């Protein structure tokens, strides 16, 4: 009897982006793409626009790109506004339209036909994560990326976290402004800053504690290296944030900057006690960053009953055959919506795609 190959199974809680319409993003003037809830492959030559399509999807869920902090660079040359609209559905829910627009003066988002209050609402409407050739920077670069990595997950586990975080940022800006113009007023912000800051630090700590078992499995399976993650909350462990703010007041006034607080938090990535960025090769850094990403997705899957969509840009880059096989096996366990780019039309790394598009000079054509 002929063996029937069952298609790659998608989890019941997986997020799914259906129709995606892009206009004036990088080299893409207009594109309409119908993604499948399973595996979509985008293939094309260098510079054809594959990563730009993934950027469009990422923008819908994050309000920013994984390639640049400057949304203006994404707007197609010679035009003044980019637009992306997608139909998103979560586990058994009805479809909802999510839209994102960026012009030279700012960005706006719409969810379910209504303007979003903040871009942060996008991450709730459409959880999406990307693994792209720059992913190793999560290990290599400063704390900014690791804080963002942590906060995106904490926000999904604890929806009120974003509000606390926004209020903390506001208080911090006010305190820093006071340090520049009227230092005697700066301590007036300390009670608010300390209260919100402690809440943020505690939420992040809980998240990282819960992450540890997922992390241990993911990093061992992927890299085989005993790499550890240590949460550093942004001020001395022996003091409360109030004490730390008081203690660093002289330095704060001198440098006109607030030194203690969760805005200085980090996740130290270490191998045998040494910073991973100093001892790991680039390929190993990529594996560690991939492990951080996948561990986080597994945790969210268990805690929130939703599996984010995963974008894989040129996933084979920098990985040897064996590491790539392990990566593929880990991704398969997620059973999430996958959108993968490749230079090869026949790429079958993640199984047989249910839908394939060829990208050519900014045009996206179904194959
Ligand atoms: N703001 C912009 N306006 C117009 N074109 C742009 C803009 N920004 C980038 N481009 C062009 O868009 C093209 C698409 O690049 P993209 O990175 O999406 O290609 P790619 O298919 O992922 O290539 P590779 O295989 O090399 O990764 C490039 O040729 C780039 O020069
Ligand atoms: Mg690319």
């Amino acid at each position: 009897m002929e063996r029937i190959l069952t298609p790659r199974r998608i989890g019941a809680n997986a997020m799914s982006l259906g129709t995606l319409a892009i206009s004036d993003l990088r080299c893409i003037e207009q594109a309409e793409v119908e993604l499948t809830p399973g595996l979509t492959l985008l293939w094309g030559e260098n510079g054809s626009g594959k990563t730009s399509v993934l950027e469009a999807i990422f923008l819908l869920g994050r309000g920013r790109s994984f390639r640049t902090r400057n949304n203006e660079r994404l707007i197609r040359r010679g035009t003044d506004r980019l637009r992306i609209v997608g139909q998103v559905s979560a586990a058994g829910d009805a479809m909802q339209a999510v839209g994102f627009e960026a012009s030279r003066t700012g960005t706006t988002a719409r969810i379910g036909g209504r303007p979003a209050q903040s871009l942060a609402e996008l991450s709730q409407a459409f959880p999406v994560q990307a693994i792209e050739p720059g992913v190793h920077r999560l290990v290599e670069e400063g704390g900014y990326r690791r804080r963002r990595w942590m906060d995106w997950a904490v926000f999904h586990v604890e929806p009120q976290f974003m509000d606390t975080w926004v209020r903390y940022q506001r208080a911090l800006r006010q305190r820093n402004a006071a340090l520049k113009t009227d230092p005697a007023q700066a301590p007036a912000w300390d009670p608010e800053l300390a209260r919100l800051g402690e809440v943020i630090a505690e939420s992040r700590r809980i998240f990282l504690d819960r992450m540890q078992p997922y992390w241990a499995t993911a990093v061992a399976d992927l890299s085989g290296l005993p790499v550890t993650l240590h949460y550093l909350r942004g001020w001395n462990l022996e003091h409360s944030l109030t004490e730390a703010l008081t203690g660093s007041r002289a330095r704060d006034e001198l440098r006109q900057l607030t030194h203690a607080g969760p805005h200085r938090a980090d996740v130290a990535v270490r191998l045998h006690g040494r910073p991973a960025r100093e001892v790991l090769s680039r390929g190993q850094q990529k594996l560690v960053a991939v492990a951080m990403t996948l561990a986080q997705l597994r945790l969210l899957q268990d805690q929130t009953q939703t599996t984010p969509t995963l974008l894989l840009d040129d996933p084979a880059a920098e990985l040897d055959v064996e590491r790539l096989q392990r990566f593929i096996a880990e991704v398969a366990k997620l059973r999430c919506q996958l959108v993968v780019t490749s230079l090869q039309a026949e790429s079958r790394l993640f199984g047989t795609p249910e839908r394939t598009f060829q990208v050519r000079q900014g045009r996206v054509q179904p194959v």
Side-chain angles (χ1 to χ4, degrees), residues 8 17-18 20 32-45 48-51 53-54 57 309-316 328 336-360 363-367:
R8 195 176 149 270
L17 173 63
L20 170 73
E32 196 160 308
V33 185
E34 188 68 40
L35 302 171
T36 102
L39 172 62
T40 302
L41 175 70
L42 304 166
W43 76 275
E45 295 173 356
S48 58
K50 303 178 297 295
T51 303
V53 178
L54 296 192
I57 301 174
T309 292
L310 182 57
L311 313 176
L312 300 176
D313 194 14
D314 195 6
I328 291 167
C336 61
Q337 182 176 36
L338 273 183
V339 188
V340 181
T341 69
S342 175
L343 293 166
Q344 273 102 34
E346 61 284 352
S347 170
R348 294 292 176 267
L349 286 179
F350 293 85
T352 307
E354 284 151 35
R355 215 157 282 173
T356 301
F357 293 90
Q358 181 178 8
V359 188
R360 240 165 109 185
R363 288 176 204 282
V364 188
Q365 302 287 347
V367 176

Side-chain angles (χ1 to χ4, degrees), residues 93-200:
D93 291 352
M95 283 273 183
Q96 153 164 278
V98 177
F100 174 84
E101 267 193 42
S103 69
R104 299 194 199 283
T105 53
T107 53
T108 54
R110 293 179 75 82
I111 299 168
R114 288 191 319 273
Q117 299 299 311
S118 76
L119 292 179
E121 279 180 43
L122 287 175
S123 24
Q124 194 102 73
F126 178 45
V128 59
Q129 185 59 279
I131 294 176
E132 40 87 37
V135 71
H136 67 279
R137 289 178 295 176
L138 190 57
V139 174
E140 191 181 49
E141 292 186 0
Y144 170 76
R145 284 174 190 275
R146 287 181 295 277
R147 282 194 294 278
R148 206 168 58 190
W149 166 81
M150 245 188 320
D151 290 348
W152 179 76
V154 178
F155 173 56
H156 284 285
V157 183
E158 247 183 75
Q160 76 280 13
F161 178 80
M162 191 58 77
D163 180 58
T164 312
W165 189 90
V166 168
R167 286 192 289 147
Y168 177 84
Q169 292 297 329
R170 203 180 299 144
L172 179 65
R173 272 197 302 275
Q174 306 268 27
R175 189 179 193 270
N176 285 339
L179 285 168
K180 290 193 176 67
T181 55
D182 187 3
Q185 286 305 310
W189 296 99
D190 291 10
E192 169 93 340
L193 215 57
R195 188 177 59 78
L196 298 167
E198 297 273 6
V199 174
I200 291 171

Side-chain angles (χ1 to χ4, degrees), residues 174-252:
Q174 306 268 27
R175 189 179 193 270
N176 285 339
L179 285 168
K180 290 193 176 67
T181 55
D182 187 3
Q185 286 305 310
W189 296 99
D190 291 10
E192 169 93 340
L193 215 57
R195 188 177 59 78
L196 298 167
E198 297 273 6
V199 174
I200 291 171
E202 185 58 9
S203 299
R204 286 171 171 170
R205 186 190 63 75
I206 293 169
F207 157 72
L208 222 75
D209 276 355
R210 288 185 183 150
M211 258 281 295
Q212 292 297 347
Y214 296 88
W215 163 251
T217 314
V219 78
D221 289 353
L222 272 164
S223 75
L225 297 166
V227 176
T228 56
L229 296 181
H230 301 268
Y231 172 52
L232 306 171
R233 65 177 182 173
W235 74 95
N236 191 318
L237 265 182
E238 284 139 37
H239 298 121
S240 67
L241 184 49
T242 305
E243 289 165 346
L245 287 166
T246 310
S248 74
R249 196 166 291 159
R251 191 156 66 119
D252 287 2

Side-chain angles (χ1 to χ4, degrees), residues 267-297:
V267 179
V269 189
R270 296 191 188 127
L271 178 67
H272 305 306
R274 304 262 311 273
R277 65 170 182 281
E278 289 176 11
V279 289
L280 296 185
S281 73
R282 173 105 142 207
Q284 288 174 324
Q285 286 181 20
K286 173 165 177 171
L287 285 166
V288 169
V290 168
M292 285 172 74
T293 308
L294 296 184
Q296 183 182 65
L297 293 178

Side-chain angles (χ1 to χ4, degrees), residues 17-26 28-33 35 51-65 71 74-76 81-88 96-103 107-111 122 126:
L17 173 63
T19 313
L20 170 73
I22 307 170
S23 38
D24 294 328
L25 171 81
R26 295 202 188 265
I28 304 173
E29 183 182 346
Q30 286 293 339
E32 196 160 308
V33 185
L35 302 171
T51 303
S52 306
V53 178
L54 296 192
E55 259 180 327
I57 301 174
F58 195 82
L59 280 164
L60 271 187
R62 301 291 190 104
R64 57 168 192 85
S65 161
N71 281 343
L74 304 170
I75 303 171
R76 193 166 68 90
R81 179 179 303 269
L82 74 85
R83 281 196 188 85
I84 302 155
V85 180
Q87 298 290 332
V88 173
Q96 153 164 278
V98 177
F100 174 84
E101 267 193 42
S103 69
T107 53
T108 54
R110 293 179 75 82
I111 299 168
L122 287 175
F126 178 45

